[in-house]
Amino acid sequence: MNLKKLTVFGSLCLLAGTLAACGKANANQSQKTLHLMQTSDLTSLDTSNTADLTQWNVLQQSMEGLYRMNAKNQVVGAMAEKVVKPTNHGKTYTFHLRPSAKWSNGDAVTAQDFVTSWRRSVSPNSTSGYNYIYEGIKNATQVSAGKKPVSSLGVQAVNDHTLKVTLSHAMPYLSKMLTMPAFFPQDHRVVAKYGKTYGATSTKMAYNGPFTVQHWTGTNDTWNLVKNSHYYDKSAIKLSKMTMQVVKDPTTAHNLFEQGELDDATVSGVTAQGVQHDKHLKHVNKAGTYYLRFNLANNHALRNQNLRRALNLVLNKAQLTKKVLSDGSTAAYNYVTPSLVTDPTTGKDFGTETKNSETYDVAKAQKLWAKGLKELGKSSVTLKLVSDDTTVSKNVDQFVQASVKQNLSNAHVSVMALPAKSTTSAVQSGNFDMDSTLWLADYADPVSFFDILTKTNPQNYGKYADATFNTQVNEAHGVNATNQKAYWQNMRTAAQRLNQTAAVLPLYNMTESHLVNQKLTGVVYHSVGENDYTRASFK
């Protein structure tokens, strides 16, 4: 998932020469309100329209799909009463929904709500960039391409509380995927009422999860989540309210934490350096890789492989993580994050066994750069680097810009730090040479990373198109889906091909430095997916 970050709280004040708890967030011993932050704007609540980290973080607290991940990272029933086993050689799933499940407006959660949601998200009109995630469900690829009607998608409401899903081939990882916000239902009555404006504000939605979103107008940077009285498991929800605010600067986040305005705050850079021994600090390792997306379209210089390899070699990633980020993040030498999953056929960590052998080497980078310019018939190149306007992204951009300027002759990086909507627009329209972005695994499998780089994937904004890579991923999804040995060979070959062609430039592996209110308990910090605050409480 293409994402950004979150934050924390736990307040301190200097009183009579000692550190003591202060601020409104822990003034009340029976605190029922949790104060959180997001590091980028909320642009939509409609998963068929948008897919980004802030949206998914909000929906994680306010919606539920057929399944959810519990505190032990196990898939358990949510809207479905239990986890089911497929029939028909792994190609048919029949889910029985909870009769007690309701939307926040009192409507019953029905099988039709899943049909409506999935059809909207897989259709050619979907703008989320996530219709590819349905590949494997019968006719999904043809529907997304406009070759078949959405009604042909392999999802059927047998009756109000029975949902049947038919696959074109077995998908052993489907249960993990069904916990993702991309597969959440949408109240079909509410969708019919609001049409294209569904999810454009918090009032043009219904929520089936533990909380409901309130006071988000579509543009404001603060909103609330209030306990949902219709949630089937409301007795497990101890909080009455969450507040969320957009905080793009880590220093501001730190200050808000100290003032008691946040219970959970993420910090980075110089701010993170100063709190590495703070008793409130919690490092959260995420299965995500920050990287530079290259634009490989024919009218862009980075279609040249040697230029891409040179850029990968000219960046001292260890220096980036230690001196620029200083938040516990580690240098990335592979697109797939280490610790995501163990390759069962080798017993080795997949991200480690497939890491790129080409690392920091300025001399080699300079030779490759000169060779690439010659192949293009150019004497110099100016590269437009687009990213969001958060402090962290700006610092990383400056590091990339300075490294290129210092080490590569006839090279210049022009940085454009833009608000989230503008960044998305620039990338989707191809108005960039490099884009600073993040991919956070949707589920614990390398294919979650690989899918977005396949030729026809709607999120392949860099236009990477390599026949060998595409073949490996297609075989993994198809003929080798249930052949473990062949599947993991496909995964290793795909990873090696990305390294050989310098498809993207991995920068660093995602580690969040959270400052956390020490009274806060019950938060589930998932390494894959979004953090779950729904069962949190204050001790």
Side-chain angles (χ1 to χ4, degrees), residues 151-163:
S151 58
S152 68
L153 183 68
V155 55
Q156 175 189 358
V158 178
N159 55 48
D160 280 354
H161 293 101
T162 305
L163 181 73

Side-chain angles (χ1 to χ4, degrees), residues 195-215:
K196 291 183 178 179
T197 64
Y198 169 81
T201 69
S202 58
T203 58
K204 295 181 178 181
M205 285 274 293
Y207 308 89
N208 70 329
F211 292 83
T212 66
V213 183
Q214 297 185 2
H215 308 307

Side-chain angles (χ1 to χ4, degrees), residues 39-103:
T39 59
S40 61
D41 300 327
L42 179 60
T43 58
S44 174
L45 290 168
D46 180 5
T47 52
S48 301
N49 176 51
T50 304
D52 60 38
L53 184 56
T54 296
Q55 180 203 54
W56 284 27
N57 283 333
V58 173
L59 295 179
Q60 175 70 49
Q61 324 308 322
S62 58
M63 299 283 278
E64 279 192 353
L66 292 166
Y67 299 152
R68 59 183 292 269
M69 298 292 289
N70 67 12
K72 297 180 179 179
N73 289 315
Q74 298 169 326
V75 177
V76 296
M79 290 300 100
E81 292 182 300
K82 63 180 181 179
V83 177
V84 301
K85 293 183 178 180
T87 57
N88 186 28
H89 304 289
K91 295 192 290 186
T92 301
Y93 288 76
T94 303
F95 303 96
H96 299 285
L97 307 186
R98 296 178 187 272
S100 60
K102 293 184 179 296
W103 292 97

Side-chain angles (χ1 to χ4, degrees), residues 106-329:
D107 290 345
V109 176
T110 66
Q112 185 58 46
D113 297 328
F114 285 92
V115 174
T116 295
S117 174
W118 295 13
R119 284 179 176 177
R120 290 185 73 236
S121 294
V122 81
S123 79
N125 298 322
S126 172
T127 56
S128 69
Y130 249 80
N131 50 10
Y132 80 89
I133 204 71
Y134 291 86
E135 291 178 6
I137 296 178
K138 185 178 179 181
N139 295 330
T141 302
Q142 294 93 326
V143 171
S144 293
K147 296 179 180 179
K148 286 191 175 183
V150 293
S151 58
S152 68
L153 183 68
V155 55
Q156 175 189 358
V158 178
N159 55 48
D160 280 354
H161 293 101
T162 305
L163 181 73
K164 182 180 179 181
V165 177
T166 304
L167 308 181
S168 57
H169 56 77
M171 299 171 63
Y173 41 79
L174 180 64
S175 292
K176 296 178 183 177
M177 294 174 65
L178 292 178
T179 67
M180 297 165 50
F183 290 95
F184 285 176
Q186 298 168 1
D187 188 332
H188 68 277
R189 303 170 188 84
V190 177
V191 171
K193 179 178 180 180
Y194 293 111
K196 291 183 178 179
T197 64
Y198 169 81
T201 69
S202 58
T203 58
K204 295 181 178 181
M205 285 274 293
Y207 308 89
N208 70 329
F211 292 83
T212 66
V213 183
Q214 297 185 2
H215 308 307
W216 181 65
T217 64
T219 58
N220 55 314
D221 58 7
T222 62
W223 58 88
N224 297 328
L225 290 93
V226 177
K227 185 174 180 177
N228 183 3
S229 62
H230 289 286
Y231 182 54
Y232 71 92
D233 195 24
K234 63 182 179 182
S235 62
I237 310 306
K238 307 305 179 185
L239 297 172
S240 59
K241 181 180 178 180
M242 299 182 194
T243 68
M244 286 192 180
Q245 59 180 303
V246 178
V247 183
K248 298 180 180 181
D249 180 65
T251 300
T252 302
H254 182 219
N255 291 338
L256 289 171
F257 177 82
E258 289 192 323
Q259 295 163 11
E261 301 291 333
L262 289 173
D263 290 306
D264 186 331
T266 41
V267 292
S268 60
V270 175
T271 305
Q273 281 181 326
V275 299
Q276 289 303 303
H277 300 291
D278 193 307
K279 64 180 180 181
H280 300 90
L281 181 68
K282 177 181 179 63
H283 280 138
V284 178
N285 294 319
K286 290 283 191 177
T289 301
Y290 282 91
Y291 66 98
L292 294 182
R293 177 192 283 124
F294 294 138
N295 192 339
L296 278 64
N298 285 335
N299 60 329
H300 289 264
L302 292 181
R303 67 184 184 276
N304 182 276
Q305 182 172 307
N306 285 315
L307 293 191
R308 301 196 302 271
R309 289 176 62 197
L311 290 172
N312 182 59
L313 292 170
V314 84
L315 300 182
N316 187 336
K317 301 171 186 178
Q319 185 181 57
L320 169 65
T321 56
K322 292 178 181 178
K323 295 185 177 181
V324 178
L325 297 168
S326 305
D327 60 358
S329 297

Side-chain angles (χ1 to χ4, degrees), residues 460-522:
N460 183 12
Y461 302 120
K463 307 303 180 184
Y464 179 68
D466 181 80
T468 300
F469 175 79
N470 288 327
T471 296
Q472 299 305 311
V473 177
N474 289 337
E475 287 182 354
H477 278 304
V479 295
N480 293 335
T482 56
N483 182 333
Q484 187 180 77
K485 183 177 180 180
Y487 179 90
W488 286 96
Q489 182 59 59
N490 287 144
M491 294 293 95
R492 290 191 297 273
T493 303
Q496 291 160 3
R497 190 59 182 167
L498 293 183
N499 291 338
Q500 292 166 358
T501 59
V504 298
L505 199 171
L507 292 172
Y508 59 100
N509 303 128
M510 185 179 182
T511 298
E512 295 176 339
S513 285
H514 286 247
L515 292 172
V516 184
N517 183 341
Q518 291 188 311
K519 292 185 178 180
L520 180 61
T521 186

Side-chain angles (χ1 to χ4, degrees), residues 385-423:
L385 171 56
V386 174
S387 71
D388 63 44
D389 58 356
T390 63
T391 299
V392 174
S393 292
K394 290 178 181 179
N395 290 341
V396 173
D397 294 346
Q398 290 170 7
F399 173 83
V400 172
Q401 185 181 47
S403 298
V404 170
K405 181 178 180 180
Q406 178 181 346
N407 297 308
L408 296 178
S409 61
N410 301 321
H412 178 69
V413 174
S414 173
V415 174
M416 293 182 63
L418 305 170
K421 284 187 177 181
S422 299
T423 303

